[in-house]
Structures are given as C-alpha cells and as structure tokens.
Amino acid sequence: MASGAASGTAGSVAEAVAVQEELRPLVDLVGPGPSAPETVAGLDVAYSLGGDLLAAAVTVLDARTLAVVDSAVSVGRPAFGYVPGLFALRELPALLAALDRLATVPDLLVCDGHGLAHPRRFGLACHLGVVTGLPAIGVGKTALVGTWDPPAAERGAWSPLRDGGDVVGRVLRTRGGVKPVFVSVGHRMSLENATAQVLALTPRFRLPESTRTADRLCRDALSRAERPD
C-alpha cells in the first residue's frame, strides 16, 4: 500500500522522527468525516511476552449492528524498537498488511492509540489516516500527553485534553462512573464527529466494540503463532 516515508520505515530514532515530521502536514484535522459510516474498522496489536513477535488485527463492524463483517490479521516482527512516541513506526507495517487483506474498505478507522494527542501531533491514527487516505480517529485508554479536568460522571460527558495551549482531544466518559477514554482526531475527521462515533461504538462497555473485537482477534492470532507445532 505504501513505501518509504509513507509506510513508516525507518532505521533510527532520528529517521523515525523525520518520517513523522514529513507526513504531519498532510493530516486533515477538520474533516468533518462521515457522520453515518456504514462500516467502522478497529485496529489493535498484541505483543509476545518478550516483545519480539506481534500480531496486528483489523475487524470491520457494521456500524448499525456492531456485528463483525470482515477481519484480517498479520503476524510478524516489530518494525522498530520500543520508543515512546514512535509506536506507529513499530506497528504500522503489520497493520497495513492486515488492512490490505480485507475484502471491505471501511469508512472509518478507529485506532487503539492516539492521533493528534501526541508529542509531535502525529500519533498512530494520524499516520494510518495519511497513509491509507481513510478517515481515522484515536481512542486511547490512557493519555500520552496533556492535562485535563475530570469530566462529569454521566455517559457522554467530556472535557478538553490540552497540551501546550492546544486542545488535542477530549477526555470522554463512555460509561457512567467508569474511567474515561482519550479521543483525538487522526485524519479527515472533526473532534466533534470523532466523539459522536466513539459514543456510538460504546453502547455497553468503556472501550469501542471495534477495539474490543480487534483486541480479541490479535490476541488469538498471537496465541496461535506462539503455540509450538
């Protein structure tokens, strides 16, 4: 699907940062993105205990029923070292390989990670969005950057995630009285729409169904890959 800077290949930290800096101006942070997507893809990666093997999974959900309608996995070695802020370089090749194996082109990518809410404003959701051209958002379990006030306790409440004077995302309560998630724009989406899509994907649990199904799939794939013959 992509090569060179677009595919995220880099041999050193300096080269990896240069890739991010090169691609960052291509991010569309306005959108507005699809308000009623037909299909939504969840993307997640699982690592072996030693960190030398990973499984990347993509599950495509019917946005109305949240049923899985397509899925794909890619198992391989991490493409880059473990460096905070550079996880996209580590995971991108395997995720792109999984996306290429889908029979369906999803309307929206939902990444288990961050987009704009990143030290260089170019997290995994931004990178994947730019490379694929698809609308993308990041939904993180924890914050990578920024400060925030706790949102109100009810579902749907949110507060701005701020970093260096910029609003880089929202701290969103997807279940009443449960820890919030961290939503940020990846590519071709507005923050308002990203928030609405995350709420649509969380009718019962804290994390989006897209993330939950991708998490199960990549863990199962990794378990099979690690199983001795």
Side-chain angles (χ1 to χ4, degrees), residues 111-137:
C111 302
D112 178 36
H114 300 281
L116 186 64
H118 179 274
R120 283 176 292 279
R121 305 293 187 263
F122 196 74
L124 175 62
C126 295
H127 208 145
L128 272 169
V130 167
V131 170
T132 63
L134 297 172
I137 61 176

Side-chain angles (χ1 to χ4, degrees), residues 168-192:
V168 296
R170 286 181 177 176
V171 185
L172 176 65
R173 195 85 66 181
T174 54
R175 288 192 67 200
V178 173
K179 288 191 300 183
V181 297
F182 298 83
V183 179
S184 58
V185 172
H187 185 56
R188 295 181 56 200
M189 287 287 287
S190 69
L191 186 54
E192 187 71 28

Side-chain angles (χ1 to χ4, degrees), residues 33-59:
S35 59
E38 292 186 5
T39 54
V40 178
L43 301 97
D44 200 6
V45 176
Y47 289 88
S48 63
L49 190 60
D52 59 343
L53 187 69
L54 62 77
V58 183
T59 53

Side-chain angles (χ1 to χ4, degrees), residues 14-42:
E15 289 175 355
V17 171
V19 167
Q20 292 181 330
E21 296 291 348
E22 178 182 346
L23 297 181
R24 184 175 59 185
L26 303 179
V27 175
D28 176 355
L29 299 175
V30 178
S35 59
E38 292 186 5
T39 54
V40 178

Side-chain angles (χ1 to χ4, degrees), residues 39-146:
T39 54
V40 178
L43 301 97
D44 200 6
V45 176
Y47 289 88
S48 63
L49 190 60
D52 59 343
L53 187 69
L54 62 77
V58 183
T59 53
V60 182
L61 277 59
D62 180 306
R64 292 182 305 103
T65 66
L66 301 184
V68 176
V69 296
D70 196 4
S71 64
V73 297
S74 176
V75 178
R77 304 294 175 183
F80 198 75
Y82 182 88
V83 181
L86 295 175
F87 282 3
L89 280 293
R90 185 174 172 85
E91 301 177 350
L92 197 74
L95 287 169
L96 290 176
L99 281 166
D100 278 341
R101 292 170 184 168
L102 292 175
T104 306
V105 178
D107 296 328
L108 175 64
L109 305 180
V110 179
C111 302
D112 178 36
H114 300 281
L116 186 64
H118 179 274
R120 283 176 292 279
R121 305 293 187 263
F122 196 74
L124 175 62
C126 295
H127 208 145
L128 272 169
V130 167
V131 170
T132 63
L134 297 172
I137 61 176
V139 184
K141 303 178 188 72
T142 58
L144 185 59
V145 296

